[in-house]
């Protein structure tokens, strides 16, 4: 059993003019680069930027133009549903790497992504490049009954996406692509589709009869993947449900489950970053309370391996 400690709320500085809440509510993906934490939220058009070293409010970087409705139901219909963010090492015109953010692709309007240039200190520089993810995720609609991409990691020369299941279709999977092919397709105006070369399905078990399903992932230097998963009592990829439990898991470089560790409380953890210190994983996690009036929380936890 893992004991998680609440560190802070993901509040952000006020911006003028602003219609934004002064916090991120539905945090859905986390990546740490140097001393900076980057957080995507499934109901925002912005990226949250926070310091790992202080508890001061973060700030927002706009990813997509426009505005979202303030009402929960209307916002849910129109949101880009950004669920995954990962660091991409140096390539082409990105000498210090980039951030790749992706929508879940669970609805036609949820297939956008963004590529952000990083500088030598891991800070975003320049304007985000909006991406059409359809060359990558389009073919997956023929593979999964309900596509719902919730995590992404780069493992050496591969991009790996994490498909989240639900009670009706509990098909968690790690989807493996050639990173070079993906980056080429995403930056081309006339890209061919890119098919994965492998799909590894994983059964994470049940909590109170509800399947544990992926919500995010990160990668260790040796290629092992650390993921978070929740048991959410819902039958599809659109409607929210009660979270009855959560867990942290480790998969090996080939995508096979190594271990699974339940959390002490049913936090709906949707973002994870991991650092290996000796024989202990030091984790940072972000939450989504499925309530726009509640700020997302940053948690810490440790796992002995």
């Amino acid at each position: 059993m893992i004991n998680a400690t609440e560190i802070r709320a993901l509040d952000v500085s006020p911006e003028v003019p602003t219609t934004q809440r002064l916090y991120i509510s539905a945090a859905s993906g986390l990546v740490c680069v140097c001393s900076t934490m980057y957080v995507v939220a499934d109901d925002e058009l912005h990226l949250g930027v926070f310091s790992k070293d202080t508890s001061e409010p973060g700030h927002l970087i706009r990813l997509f133009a426009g505005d979202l409705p303030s009402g929960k139901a209307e916002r849910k219909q129109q949101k880009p549903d950004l669920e995954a963010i990962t660091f991409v090492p140096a390539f082409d015109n990105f000498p210090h790497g980039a951030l790749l953010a992706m929508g879940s692709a669970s609805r036609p309007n949820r297939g956008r992504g963004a590529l952000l240039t990083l500088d030598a200190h891991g800070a975003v520089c320049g304007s985000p490049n909006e991406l059409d993810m359809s060359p990558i995720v389009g073919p997956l609609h023929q593979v999964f009954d309900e596509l719902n991409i919730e995590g992404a990691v780069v493992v050496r020369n591969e991009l790996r996406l994490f498909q989240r299941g639900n009670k009706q279709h509990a098909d968690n999977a790690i989807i493996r692509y050639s990173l070079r092919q993906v980056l080429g397709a995403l930056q081309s105006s006339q890209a061919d589709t890119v098919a994965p070369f492998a799909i590894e399905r994983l059964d994470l078990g049940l909590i109170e009869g509800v399947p544990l399903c992926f919500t995010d992932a990160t990668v260790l230097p040796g290629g092992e993947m650390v993921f978070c998963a929740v048991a959410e009592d819902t039958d599809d990829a659109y409607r929210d449900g009660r979270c009855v439990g959560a867990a942290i898991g480790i998969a090996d470089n080939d995508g096979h489950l190594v271990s699974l560790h339940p959390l002490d409380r049913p936090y709906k953890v949707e973002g994870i970053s991991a650092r290996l210190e000796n024989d202990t994983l030091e984790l940072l996690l972000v939450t989504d309370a499925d309530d726009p009036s509640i700020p997302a929380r940053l948690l810490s936890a440790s796992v002995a391996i």
Side-chain angles (χ1 to χ4, degrees):
M1 188 75 69
I2 298 174
N3 296 314
T5 301
E6 295 192 18
I7 299 176
R8 57 167 295 179
L10 293 182
D11 52 335
V12 297
S13 299
E15 299 175 16
V16 181
T18 181
T19 58
Q20 299 290 323
R21 298 182 291 251
L22 296 183
Y23 53 84
I24 285 178
S25 174
S28 55
L30 168 67
V31 66
C32 293
V33 184
C34 299
S35 61
T36 303
M37 297 183 295
Y38 294 102
V39 178
V40 287
D42 68 26
D43 68 344
E44 294 284 356
L45 301 173
H46 298 74
L47 174 69
V49 184
F50 302 87
S51 170
K52 286 176 61 178
D53 302 325
T54 74
S55 58
E56 294 180 357
H59 68 275
L60 300 175
I61 295 175
R62 179 173 283 277
L63 298 178
F64 306 126
D67 295 294
L68 292 172
S70 58
K72 183 177 180 179
E74 296 83 2
R75 195 179 186 95
K76 189 178 184 70
Q77 288 179 343
Q78 298 183 32
K79 67 182 186 179
D81 205 32
L82 290 172
E83 292 283 357
I85 185 169
T86 190
F87 171 73
V88 182
F91 67 100
D92 297 343
N93 297 318
F94 299 82
H96 304 295
L99 298 177
L100 175 63
M102 297 181 60
S104 67
S106 60
R107 290 291 186 275
N109 64 317
R110 298 180 174 186
R112 286 185 288 176
L115 191 66
L116 300 98
T117 305
L118 297 177
D119 66 16
H121 304 288
V124 171
C125 56
S127 300
N129 301 307
E130 184 172 338
L131 305 173
D132 175 7
M133 306 301 301
S134 58
I136 312 304
V137 298
L140 299 179
H141 287 284
Q142 308 304 315
V143 178
F144 298 101
D145 291 313
E146 284 194 288
L147 185 62
N148 190 13
I149 301 301
E150 291 269 335
V153 298
V154 172
V155 181
R156 300 185 179 91
N157 61 348
E158 297 179 21
L159 175 69
R160 300 183 180 181
L161 304 183
F162 284 69
Q163 155 71 12
R164 177 181 179 179
N166 54 61
K167 281 180 66 178
Q168 187 70 24
H169 303 288
D171 47 358
N172 294 296
I174 302 174
I175 307 160
R176 302 170 65 178
Y177 296 87
S178 160
L179 178 61
R180 179 185 58 81
Q181 287 185 325
V182 168
L183 293 174
L186 293 180
Q187 297 179 89
S188 171
S189 59
Q190 296 180 329
D192 294 329
T193 58
V194 178
F197 65 82
I199 296 177
E200 311 289 345
R201 286 179 163 83
L202 282 85
D203 182 351
L204 304 179
L206 305 171
I207 296 179
E208 297 182 17
V210 180
L212 275 167
C213 296
F214 290 135
T215 53
D216 196 25
T218 188
V219 65
L220 299 177
E224 301 89 352
M225 293 163 286
V226 183
F227 61 84
C228 49
V230 302
E232 185 176 6
D233 193 1
T234 181
D235 289 328
D236 60 42
Y238 186 81
R239 286 172 290 190
D240 298 322
R242 183 173 67 94
C243 180
V244 301
I248 305 299
I250 301 172
D252 66 20
N253 186 48
D254 294 321
H256 302 137
L257 185 64
V258 174
S259 61
L260 196 65
H261 311 268
L263 287 180
D264 60 333
R265 293 175 57 185
Y267 290 107
K268 192 181 178 188
V269 289
E270 293 223 6
I272 185 169
S273 175
R275 184 181 77 257
L276 185 60
E277 289 192 1
N278 298 320
D279 294 327
T280 301
L281 280 178
E282 299 295 341
L283 306 175
L284 291 174
L285 307 163
V286 292
T287 67
D288 174 4
D290 285 333
D291 183 339
S293 70
I294 299 176
R297 309 296 298 186
L298 176 68
L299 314 176
S300 66
S302 298
V303 180
I305 59 173

